[in-house]
Amino acid sequence: MDFSIKSGSPEKQRTACVIVGIFSTRRLSNPAKAIDIASKQHISTLIRRGDMDGEKGQKLLLHNVPGVMADRVLLIGCGKEREVNDRNYRTIIENSICALDKTGALEGINYLSELNVKGRDCSWKVKQAVEVAEHTLYKFNELKSKNKESRRPLRKITYTVPTRRELSKCETAIKLAQAIANGIKLSRDLANYPSNICTPNYLAQKAIKLGKNQTSLTVKILEESDMEKLGMGSLLSVSRGSSEPAKLITLEYKGKGAKKSQKPIAIIGKGVTFDTGGISIKPSQAMDEMKYDMCGAASVIGTISAVTELELPINIVGIIPTTENMPSGTATKPGDIFTSMSGQTIEVLNTDAEGRLILCDAITYSKKFNPEVVIDIATLTGACVVALGKHATGLLSNHNSLARELINAGEESGDRAWQLPLWDEYQQQLNSPFADIANIGGRDAGTITAACFLSRFAEKLQWAHLDIAGTAWTSGSKKGATGRPVPLLMQYILNKIK
Ligand code: BES
Ligand code: MN
Ligand code: ZN
């Protein structure tokens, strides 16, 4: 989609569609008032007759409005003016984009970016509006034999700002949002591909392609033989059951403007391209969704891709341990014990707790980059969905200010995380009679004990863990990857540069 920014009177726009807001109850936004005056009360008459009262979710498409140069005027219900917060703003924009897409217009000028949102400036509003539009219009039809190209006459969306003074700032916001939206789209596409296409090798090839012709991005792939040499017994204990070889992908981004001495931010993404549970096999109900068990990896690739597109002055290293988790004659069995790269031995009591087994070796490996902070992103526990549902990503960290920064980045980007405790009290649940540590901690506090497991490998690091089991995809009739937490990670990185 092509986005641009503009300021000017709505009645004077020569466009296929102008979009303006109506507040409840029956109150016109300023751009709607301008159209009302130019059209000799066309809008207020309709509203008085009861066609629309401005409630959230309402929309009304008008053609040939007198005194207005646009072919169409689209009225969007915005609810109570004082209640337009971050979330409502995003929903209002989403509604307007859906409605605009259905009109058949090739382009439109959207005045809803001028709505007042408490505490937010025009750059924030424009950035969000671009990301929401791209999110709303996203489709994954790659694997359908018909209708591959969705009917999409809509090519261009123009957002407006109240005065010309804001133009240049908001043009920058558009460029930024477009790059982030591209990263989100890449992440969603990778995740939506089924596991027979998106294998560990497929992810590796995608990463290599990302690094082609990019001097600032170096991509390397470790094979299973390399992992053996490094002593990654924990990671290899998961891949042994599968005939697809595991890969460890590293994407090293060195920004041109970044100080050579700046330690990199390491982001580690869980890349289980399919999680059957292994010998501790999962029930078949909704098992197809375990193709999404590589959403952490997808978010790392999406983020690195956006950072590269923006040429940000920062150093980042992406690390992706990727494998399938399969049952077979060579698969790990409950009770088997392996030595991780850190030297700690692990008793695998449940082969379905595989995410932590591949992440712990990746965390140990990350130390070689001497990172400033390490953030891992993983669809790690069903317990996180029970605790926080589909709205918040779980956040656990051994470093309070890092946790704060991530929570703030989530608030600002609308991709929120909520912290759970990582107290020592929980650690004992991981005691094993035979090894240094067990890979499960019982029924209680499953998300916390999973993070406790990882924390044993993150000692001396400033480390945070994002459990995206609930947020990385949606189920049901609108099944699909969300691209989360790319917005949060990008905001965190941008705030680091500021
Ligand atoms: N990938 C799953 C976690 C998951 C489950 C994410 C459902 C989203 C929806 C992970 O590998 C797993 O199986 N975790 C187990 C851990 C348990 C065996 C301690 C779980 O959550 O049941
Ligand atoms: Mn599992
Ligand atoms: Zn898993």
Side-chain angles (χ1 to χ4, degrees):
M1 187 64 53
D2 193 5
F3 292 95
S4 64
I5 193 88
K6 184 165 200 179
S7 82
S9 326
E11 71 280 9
K12 291 189 190 134
Q13 305 297 333
R14 287 182 196 283
T15 172
C17 190
V18 286
I19 305 174
V20 296
I22 307 292
F23 298 113
S24 67
T25 325
R26 305 194 189 110
R27 298 197 38 255
L28 306 191
S29 63
N30 285 336
K33 271 181 205 152
I35 288 189
D36 194 48
I37 291 165
S39 64
K40 303 215 166 69
Q41 283 78 50
H42 192 84
I43 311 255
S44 44
T45 306
L46 281 171
I47 284 177
R48 209 173 323 109
R49 285 183 191 152
D51 289 64
M52 186 174 188
D53 54 22
E55 247 148 62
K56 262 186 285 174
Q58 286 184 336
K59 51 187 183 269
L60 191 60
L61 181 64
L62 311 172
H63 295 270
N64 309 317
V65 178
V68 171
M69 292 193 167
D71 301 339
R72 307 169 182 81
V73 173
L74 177 59
L75 306 180
I76 296 289
C78 299
K80 292 225 166 65
E81 185 169 10
R82 279 192 312 178
E83 288 174 8
V84 183
N85 54 17
D86 290 8
R87 171 163 169 258
N88 292 339
Y89 175 74
R90 292 167 60 92
T91 321
I92 292 164
I93 297 288
E94 182 182 338
N95 292 343
S96 73
I97 300 299
C98 269
L100 174 64
D101 192 38
K102 285 191 187 120
T103 61
L106 287 172
E107 41 83 44
I109 302 185
N110 196 336
Y111 280 79
L112 297 173
S113 49
E114 293 186 24
L115 288 172
N116 285 317
V117 185
K118 216 183 283 159
R120 300 302 187 188
D121 61 7
C122 65
S123 319
W124 183 92
K125 288 188 275 187
V126 167
K127 176 173 172 288
Q128 287 282 319
V130 169
E131 288 180 30
V132 169
E134 287 285 19
H135 209 274
T136 309
L137 297 171
Y138 175 84
K139 292 210 171 62
F140 186 77
N141 289 334
E142 238 77 358
L143 302 176
K144 292 190 171 162
S145 61
K146 293 187 201 85
N147 307 324
K148 270 197 155 179
E149 288 298 304
S150 56
R151 183 205 63 102
R152 174 62 49 76
L154 187 57
R155 294 230 168 76
K156 181 171 178 186
I157 298 169
T158 302
Y159 287 112
T160 63
V161 285
T163 68
R164 301 191 60 79
R165 255 185 312 131
E166 285 115 343
L167 281 177
S168 84
K169 244 177 39 183
C170 290
E171 267 153 20
T172 314
I174 284 192
K175 287 218 182 72
L176 183 61
Q178 187 74 74
I180 295 172
N182 291 343
I184 293 170
K185 180 182 169 1
L186 172 59
S187 167
R188 295 174 89 179
D189 283 345
L190 287 174
N192 283 329
Y193 274 115
S195 73
N196 62 321
I197 295 174
C198 183
T199 58
N201 184 50
Y202 181 90
L203 286 179
Q205 297 312 319
K206 274 279 166 184
I208 289 170
K209 221 166 132 196
L210 212 58
K212 281 256 158 70
N213 308 320
Q214 297 284 356
T215 48
S216 54
L217 183 61
T218 315
V219 177
K220 288 191 187 130
I221 313 294
L222 294 189
E223 305 294 335
E224 286 185 347
S225 53
D226 304 312
M227 298 178 212
E228 244 154 65
K229 282 182 204 128
L230 288 162
M232 297 184 167
S234 186
L235 200 170
L236 290 166
S237 80
V238 178
S239 62
R240 20 180 317 127
S242 168
S243 33
E244 291 288 341
K247 311 272 171 184
L248 192 110
I249 308 167
T250 57
L251 306 104
E252 249 187 297
Y253 172 83
K254 293 207 168 107
K256 281 194 201 80
K259 282 198 212 98
K260 281 258 154 46
S261 61
Q262 186 233 317
K263 294 177 172 185
I265 295 171
I267 50 177
I268 303 179
K270 172 179 174 184
V272 174
T273 57
F274 198 87
D275 181 11
T276 65
I279 296 298
S280 315
I281 199 160
K282 287 181 180 296
S284 48
Q285 170 82 25
M287 209 211 268
D288 66 291
E289 295 186 8
M290 282 299 114
K291 72 173 182 179
Y292 289 124
D293 214 14
M294 39 59 73
C295 282
S299 76
V300 167
I301 294 178
T303 300
I304 298 269
S305 153
V307 167
T308 309
E309 182 179 336
L310 290 164
E311 301 183 316
L312 294 182
I314 194 159
N315 297 329
I316 304 199
V317 51
I319 303 175
I320 297 172
T322 174
T323 176
E324 286 182 340
N325 185 23
M326 297 290 282
S328 79
T330 56
T332 291
K333 304 168 289 298
D336 289 358
I337 295 178
F338 298 91
T339 306
S340 65
M341 186 182 177
S342 73
Q344 295 178 83
T345 58
I346 302 165
E347 184 183 17
V348 179
L349 288 174
N350 189 318
T351 63
D352 198 10
E354 85 297 343
R356 61 198 80 180
L357 295 175
I358 69 171
L359 289 169
C360 70
D361 278 343
I363 291 172
T364 305
Y365 186 68
S366 76
K367 293 183 180 171
K368 122 186 171 101
F369 297 96
N370 189 24
E372 184 194 325
V373 301
V374 175
I375 303 165
D376 79 74
I377 305 108
T379 47
L380 204 64
T381 62
C384 191
V385 196
V386 175
L388 299 173
K390 289 267 178 199
H391 305 297
T393 291
L395 163 65
L396 298 103
S397 176
N398 63 7
H399 196 266
N400 266 327
S401 62
L402 172 58
R404 245 304 106 216
E405 286 168 42
L406 288 167
I407 290 168
N408 291 343
E411 288 285 349
E412 189 164 357
S413 60
D415 179 10
R416 293 189 289 183
W418 194 259
Q419 193 173 8
L420 297 171
L422 193 71
W423 298 329
D424 279 344
E425 284 87 331
Y426 295 98
Q427 292 282 355
Q428 65 194 28
Q429 286 177 239
L430 295 169
N431 289 349
S432 157
F434 304 116
D436 297 340
I437 184 172
N439 81 325
I440 52 169
R443 228 174 63 97
D444 292 357
T447 303
I448 298 174
T449 53
C452 282
F453 180 93
L454 297 176
S455 76
R456 303 275 186 109
F457 301 82
E459 273 169 8
K460 297 188 198 137
L461 289 173
Q462 289 187 28
W463 160 80
H465 161 63
L466 295 170
D467 194 330
I468 56 168
T471 52
W473 76 90
T474 50
S475 316
S477 64
K478 282 193 176 161
K479 191 187 288 181
T482 60
R484 291 179 71 178
V486 174
L488 180 156
L489 292 170
M490 284 305 295
Q491 194 62 50
Y492 171 78
I493 290 165
L494 292 166
N495 292 350
K496 277 272 173 203
I497 294 168
K498 257 190 243 157

